[in-house]
Amino acid sequence: MATTPVAHSPLGIPKSRVRQLMAASIGNVVEWYDWYAYSALATFFSVQIFPPSAGNPLVPLLSSFAVFAVGFFMRPLGGLLVGAFADRYGRKSAMTFTIVLMGVGSLLVGLTPTYTAVGLLAPVMLTVARLIQGLSVGGEFAAATTFLVESAPKGRRGLYSSFQYVSTTIGQLIATGLAALLATMLVTADMDSWGWRVPFFVGALLSLVGLWIRKGADETSAVAEEIQRGEAQRPKLFEFLRSYPRSAATIVGITIAGTVAYYTWTTFLPTYAQITVDFDKADSLQIGTICLVFFMVLQPLLGMLSDRIGRRPMLITFGLGFVILPVPLLGLLTDAYWSLLVVQLVGMVFLGCFTSISAAVNSELFPTRVRAAGAGFPYSLTVALFGGTAPLIGTALQEAENPGLFPWYMSALALVSLLVYLFVLKETKDEPLR
């Protein structure tokens, strides 16, 4: 990609396209590495942090995913507060703030003592760390996605949007890859006692790298600059909701299916295979890594396709796929290596039709003045309600001996979003950013 100035530069500052992509993407890698390290290592540290339940090994795992869900419920607050901050003070300042928060949260997870050593303080400390990370990730989506889309030249918003999940997937790949490496190199006792802490300390160090990179970014919001000069009034906290309620509601409908499918297929599926068909832990992490590489490569290809054919056809394809496929696909799972590999790869093809363009679709629904908060809050709220609870619901259904209900749950939510894609969402690919 040539390093020519961005086609539209609302601040009148020459910007390198590659530089802008790197500023958002590399910081985003660090953010999501820290976030996903938790889910990748939950099966290892759950019994260390939570008191074991006699005769029921699922209870510590269930507790760790409950804390995973708690972190998600901070994301709407992050989307609202950091989004409002980004609208008022600029995307760059907001992205600097979120990367610092994530580093602090990752360090706290790594330092969390065991339940045996300190009792109740252990799960409390882990919960606080996840709350900090949830606030950071919610704000990260609000600031970084608007930054990416606003940096895009005409006719390339879908492509630029795809780098949100390219960078997210790279972060997840590093997290799961490091977890798989440690699980392979260390004996089980060492992995359970101290090996799981290593990725969180690495995440804290990487946050410093992300902070340095983001300081070199160029601002994309002319409105934020005008506000700082006193030439425009600051948007109120819920102005996006009062002025654009339809857009906010549309984002909720768009996201319901996407967030459940995403966190199931990219995060929870290996664990789901472990607890339902007794799939090997190390093999499931390896398969997850292979599938994530495939998923990452898909993103820019599908983003470019959306710039040609539009956002709605992509979302409709995703919606139809996840209405029809979860039940038969998850029914194929066995303890055979190939079964998890095929199930995860097929699902990711359809999932990519959502993830590659979600940042563009959300950003295109709001004007610059309230874009970060308007796109960030309803998206993060929906992710908290449906995406963050997906591993918890899947694990709880297994404990209740009804794991077959989980794919039906996904299909039902996909149907809701499909109706939004068909009858509510308007095509926005050719419309200029407001």
Side-chain angles (χ1 to χ4, degrees):
M1 186 178 292
T3 57
T4 54
V6 174
H8 79 284
S9 178
L11 301 180
I13 303 173
K15 297 190 283 284
S16 163
R17 295 176 182 175
V18 171
R19 183 181 178 184
Q20 293 296 91
L21 283 174
M22 291 288 288
S25 299
I26 294 182
N28 206 32
V29 167
V30 179
E31 285 274 349
W32 290 95
Y33 163 86
D34 289 340
W35 182 256
Y36 283 117
Y38 183 98
S39 58
L41 295 161
T43 56
F44 295 102
F45 68 73
S46 57
V47 295
Q48 302 292 320
I49 305 300
F50 299 95
S53 175
N56 194 343
L58 277 178
V59 170
L61 181 60
L62 190 61
S63 299
S64 67
F65 279 132
V67 176
F68 184 76
V70 166
F72 271 85
F73 278 93
M74 285 297 288
R75 290 179 62 167
L77 185 61
L80 178 63
L81 298 181
V82 180
F85 182 87
D87 288 330
R88 296 176 183 181
Y89 300 102
R91 320 307 189 206
K92 178 182 174 180
S93 296
M95 292 193 302
T96 300
F97 175 67
T98 58
I99 201 71
V100 171
L101 271 186
M102 183 57 77
V104 172
S106 185
L107 183 62
L108 281 178
V109 175
L111 293 174
T112 300
T114 65
Y115 185 86
T116 302
V118 298
L120 187 60
L121 180 61
V124 169
M125 186 170 173
L126 184 67
T127 302
V128 170
R130 289 302 287 178
L131 292 175
I132 292 172
Q133 289 186 320
L135 185 71
S136 173
V137 170
E140 172 70 13
F141 181 86
T145 56
T146 53
F147 178 88
L148 274 172
V149 175
E150 289 171 351
S151 296
K154 183 179 180 181
R156 289 291 182 268
R157 291 199 301 261
L159 172 61
Y160 273 56
S161 168
S162 71
F163 280 89
Q164 167 70 18
Y165 279 93
V166 169
S167 55
T168 296
T169 305
I170 291 174
Q172 190 173 359
L173 275 169
I174 298 173
T176 56
L178 182 55
L181 179 64
L182 287 169
T184 302
M185 293 179 62
L186 298 177
V187 298
T188 302
D190 287 342
M191 188 65 189
D192 289 341
S193 63
W194 59 267
W196 65 266
R197 298 179 186 275
V198 173
F200 295 106
F201 293 134
V202 171
L205 292 175
L206 289 175
S207 295
L208 297 177
V209 177
L211 177 63
W212 174 73
I213 291 170
R214 285 190 162 176
K215 284 187 175 293
D218 292 314
E219 183 54 58
T220 60
S221 173
V223 175
E225 294 287 295
E226 292 169 359
I227 291 170
Q228 296 311 299
R229 293 194 300 266
E231 299 171 1
Q233 186 178 7
R234 293 193 308 174
K236 294 181 172 58
L237 191 61
F238 286 99
E239 182 176 320
F240 70 91
L241 192 57
R242 290 191 296 268
S243 301
Y244 307 96
R246 178 186 172 91
S247 294
T250 300
I251 287 181
V252 172
I254 290 170
T255 308
I256 286 174
T259 186
V260 173
Y262 177 77
Y263 284 103
T264 297
W265 244 257
T266 67
T267 303
F268 179 57
L269 194 58
T271 302
Y272 181 82
Q274 292 170 28
I275 64 178
T276 56
V277 297
D278 198 27
F279 205 90
D280 182 77
K281 283 184 181 181
D283 284 349
S284 67
L285 287 171
Q286 184 184 85
I287 290 170
T289 302
I290 294 170
C291 292
L292 283 172
V293 172
F294 172 75
F295 185 64
M296 178 184 66
V297 172
L298 276 181
Q299 300 306 303
L301 300 177
L302 294 173
M304 287 188 289
L305 181 61
S306 80
D307 286 328
R308 294 181 63 88
I309 69 173
R311 318 297 188 219
R312 288 184 73 248
M314 304 288 290
L315 291 174
I316 290 170
T317 299
F318 157 73
L320 282 172
F322 271 86
V323 167
I324 297 169
L325 292 176
V327 174
L329 278 181
L330 294 186
L332 288 175
L333 282 177
T334 68
D335 60 358
Y337 190 95
W338 68 268
S339 70
L340 180 57
L341 180 64
V342 170
V343 167
Q344 201 159 7
L345 286 175
V346 171
M348 282 179 167
V349 172
F350 289 91
L351 177 60
C353 294
F354 168 83
T355 55
S356 62
I357 62 172
S358 64
V361 173
N362 293 348
S363 296
E364 288 164 351
L365 292 173
F366 290 95
T368 301
R369 176 177 172 80
V370 294
R371 181 170 294 127
F377 178 70
Y379 174 87
S380 296
L381 178 63
T382 310
V383 169
L385 291 173
F386 297 97
T389 57
L392 180 62
I393 290 172
T395 306
L397 287 173
Q398 170 63 19
E399 186 183 16
E401 300 182 354
N402 286 307
L405 292 179
F406 186 64
W408 287 104
Y409 169 73
M410 279 194 290
S411 292
L413 294 181
L415 179 60
V416 173
S417 288
L418 178 60
L419 294 175
V420 173
Y421 306 150
L422 289 171
F423 302 111
V424 178
L425 185 65
K426 297 180 180 178
E427 185 57 65
T428 55
K429 84 174 181 73
D430 294 322
E431 297 181 7
L433 286 177
R434 289 185 285 173

